Amino acid sequence: MINRIVIGFFLVFVFLGNAIWSQEAVTTFGLQFKPIINSDLVNTGAQTQEVGNVTFTIAPKEGYSFGMLIRKGFTDQLSMETGINFTQRNYDLTIANNLANFSRTSDFRYVIYEIPILGLVYVQLGQQTYLNTAFGLSMNFLPSDWNTLDDYFEHLSVRRSWIMPSLLANVGFEYRTYDKGYWYLGLSFNRPFNNITNAIVVYNGPLEQGEITSFDILGNYLTLDLRYFFHEPPEKRKRKRR
């Protein structure tokens, strides 16, 4: 199912590119920084499991993503965007044993590399201001499993796959200058097709030993997007000589 969606997505953009390639276009390079926002509205809240007298809680914290972008403009209303991002997801792991009056919190992180492919549609609001909406896919690469430990616990997050596609959507506002580039502020939502990892936690603290539980980490997240695109002049396709 995922393979069909990915193939269909690429075919759509091949068609669009062939259909409007002859029109005036702009290709530009950009940089972005995206702080990760935690919100229960997009199912990114804490997860809790109880085993015996031990309570395990994994809660996402603020993280970030940054990288570079390449945007290919086909018309004044339609563009395609891709690039590569480094993303760090941060989590708190809290383990409490009420019987022993024990509670400790540690943290861990996931490092993920992302290659987004987006179709953008623009609505002009003013002479230099645009509303952008975009939808597409992100290919997320998980380089390894992750583990942390202390004297009272062991934690291992096992990735489901080294590559995990996700749906990606964003909306935002763009201010375009005539010679200083484009400035963009918006929101993005990244929703993997499946859980990115399975987090296994073993408690070895006071009173009890070997209590074990696991969490399915979906890994979806919301970001605040800050982008800058460098100024590039429009380019036209050269006419073929007869």
Side-chain angles (χ1 to χ4, degrees):
M1 180 65 181
I2 292 176
N3 291 335
R4 291 180 182 178
I5 293 174
V6 174
I7 292 172
F9 183 82
F10 278 106
L11 288 177
V12 168
F13 276 102
V14 169
F15 172 77
L16 288 174
N18 290 333
I20 56 183
W21 179 253
S22 61
Q23 299 182 20
E24 191 172 76
V26 174
T27 300
T28 185
F29 170 81
L31 302 173
Q32 72 173 353
F33 178 74
K34 305 195 299 182
I36 293 176
I37 305 169
N38 294 318
S39 173
D40 290 335
L41 295 176
V42 292
N43 195 26
T44 60
Q47 300 182 59
T48 298
Q49 301 277 0
E50 292 186 8
V51 181
N53 297 308
V54 182
T55 301
F56 302 84
T57 301
I58 288 181
K61 300 195 299 182
E62 290 73 17
Y64 61 89
S65 178
F66 69 88
M68 55 79 64
L69 296 167
I70 297 175
R71 179 186 290 180
K72 174 64 179 180
F74 296 118
T75 72
D76 289 338
Q77 289 79 38
L78 180 65
S79 294
M80 187 173 74
E81 196 172 272
T82 187
I84 186 168
N85 297 317
F86 172 94
T87 300
Q88 180 170 304
R89 305 296 312 281
N90 299 319
Y91 292 84
D92 273 341
L93 170 61
T94 300
I95 303 176
N97 187 332
N98 295 329
L99 201 62
N101 196 25
F102 174 87
S103 180
R104 296 274 292 276
T105 298
S106 64
D107 55 43
F108 62 93
R109 65 187 182 184
Y110 299 152
V111 171
I112 302 171
Y113 299 94
E114 302 175 353
I115 298 179
I117 305 173
L118 289 164
L120 285 77
V121 177
Y122 305 102
V123 177
Q124 188 168 6
L125 302 178
Q127 186 175 5
Q128 296 172 260
T129 307
Y130 292 79
L131 171 67
N132 295 7
T133 59
F135 183 79
L137 295 176
S138 178
M139 307 306 293
N140 306 316
F141 297 89
L142 288 70
S144 66
D145 299 330
W146 294 271
N147 69 289
T148 55
L149 58 94
D150 206 328
D151 57 358
Y152 65 97
F153 81 96
E154 295 179 26
H155 152 253
L156 173 64
S157 284
V158 180
R159 59 184 179 175
R160 184 179 180 90
S161 173
W162 70 277
I163 180 171
M164 179 61 66
S166 62
L167 293 176
L168 183 61
N170 66 47
V171 61
F173 295 92
E174 187 169 282
Y175 180 77
R176 301 180 182 180
T177 66
Y178 294 109
D179 57 355
K180 304 296 184 182
Y182 306 162
W183 301 89
Y184 176 93
L185 175 65
L187 295 171
S188 287
F189 179 61
N190 188 309
R191 206 286 186 188
F193 281 80
N194 213 323
N195 301 324
I196 58 172
T197 68
N198 179 251
I200 303 167
V201 185
V202 181
Y203 172 73
N204 293 315
L207 293 185
E208 300 180 54
Q209 299 283 324
E211 298 287 12
I212 185 171
T213 191
S214 65
F215 297 83
D216 289 327
I217 306 297
L218 180 58
N220 52 334
Y221 63 91
L222 185 70
T223 61
L224 176 67
D225 297 3
L226 308 171
R227 300 178 181 177
Y228 172 73
F229 288 90
F230 295 94
H231 171 73
E232 294 291 343
E235 58 187 27
K236 295 183 180 179
R237 188 179 182 184
K238 295 181 180 179
R239 296 180 179 178
K240 294 183 179 179
R241 295 181 180 179
R242 296 182 178 178

